[in-house]
Amino acid sequence: MFSNFMTFAPFILQGLTTTVMVFLYGALLAYSIAIIAGLMRTSQFAIVRTIAAVFVELFRGTSLLVQMFFLYYALPQLIDGISMSLMLAGSLAVGLNYGAYASEVVRSAINSIHIGQTEAAISLNMSRFQRLRLVILPQAFRLMLPGFGNNAIELLKGTSLVYFIGLADLTFNANVLRGSNTAISSQVEIYTYLLVAYFLLALPLIVLARYLEKRASKGVTLS
């Protein structure tokens, strides 16, 4: 076992760039959505809260894989003129799905700020925007960081599903190898390399998430 390292590992790693790109694009979209949707969930206007709630529950309540299939195969058929690449469909689905989950981190962090903070800001004659920007968000952001770190780890693992729509990532290449190497020992070797590859990618995120959790638990404001 593990006698084909020089053959299997380099082939699997050819998909590394794709996996990293989907992760980066997906994370950028996810955290942008999380902040926007999270703020909308705390809006004083019911219609704004409702729109955000529908979005969040739609993407949290449906499968990420089905969302990828819908964006790549169904959406172009429903709307003329839309053409979506594999990379765009995969990144968009990952970003929308994990953005919906991360928006709950934003909402709960904002809601956890003591009402006395808001009352103090009102007594200083601050507008709602000033209260949010100068008082609420700086405190809430520190509370969001551990959740964002954990969400990033989950997002990275979720990128493995893009192989189902044909995107040549790490998982896709591993399955190509499996198809041409049917011996049990070879398949064990292939998926061992795949596990190690994802773990090494996730390791910096794991370390960062733990660090942020410790900082947040101590109540230290990150500079």
Side-chain angles (χ1 to χ4, degrees):
M1 194 177 294
F2 306 113
S3 59
N4 297 302
F5 176 81
M6 296 306 297
T7 300
F8 291 166
F11 185 84
I12 293 173
L13 289 176
Q14 289 177 12
L16 178 62
T17 300
T18 299
T19 295
V20 171
M21 288 178 65
V22 172
F23 169 75
L24 292 176
Y25 294 152
L28 179 62
L29 177 61
Y31 293 129
S32 299
I33 288 174
I35 293 172
I36 294 171
L39 289 173
M40 290 175 67
R41 293 292 299 274
T42 63
S43 172
Q44 60 182 327
F45 302 107
I47 183 63
V48 175
R49 295 196 304 271
T50 300
I51 291 172
V54 170
F55 164 80
V56 169
E57 298 309 324
L58 173 64
F59 282 93
R60 290 205 309 165
T62 55
S63 165
L64 173 56
L65 183 57
V66 173
Q67 291 165 17
M68 287 184 187
F69 285 148
F70 180 85
L71 289 173
Y72 186 68
Y73 295 110
L75 191 61
Q77 303 299 320
L78 293 175
I79 305 177
D80 292 334
I82 286 186
S83 178
M84 200 168 295
S85 67
L86 289 171
M87 177 65 72
L88 178 58
S91 301
L92 191 59
V94 169
L96 290 170
N97 186 275
Y98 286 95
Y101 282 98
S103 70
E104 289 297 287
V105 174
V106 176
R107 182 186 64 82
S108 61
I110 292 174
N111 287 339
S112 68
I113 303 302
H114 194 275
I115 187 64
Q117 299 289 323
T118 300
E119 293 173 347
I122 292 174
S123 69
L124 294 174
N125 202 30
M126 287 185 178
S127 66
R128 180 176 175 81
F129 177 73
Q130 288 176 320
R131 296 196 301 269
L132 187 65
R133 182 173 64 88
L134 300 175
V135 179
I136 305 300
L137 283 182
Q139 298 178 72
F141 184 68
R142 174 175 54 82
L143 301 177
M144 297 175 199
L145 291 177
F148 278 179
N150 291 326
N151 187 265
I153 297 170
E154 294 298 322
L155 192 152
L156 175 62
K157 293 186 290 186
T159 62
S160 62
L161 294 178
V162 300
Y163 98 90
F164 280 105
I165 59 173
L167 200 55
D169 69 330
L170 292 170
T171 305
F172 182 92
N173 286 357
N175 279 287
V176 170
L177 276 179
R178 180 187 60 82
S180 57
N181 295 271
T182 57
I184 293 177
S185 60
S186 294
Q187 296 191 15
V188 171
E189 188 174 356
I190 289 167
Y191 287 114
T192 299
Y193 296 148
L194 184 62
L195 279 173
V196 171
Y198 275 108
F199 174 73
L200 292 177
L201 279 175
L203 187 58
L205 299 176
I206 294 171
V207 173
L208 178 61
R210 289 179 178 175
Y211 170 76
L212 294 175
E213 287 174 5
K214 289 180 180 179
R215 293 295 297 269
S217 66
K218 293 179 181 178
V220 176
T221 303
L222 297 177
S223 57

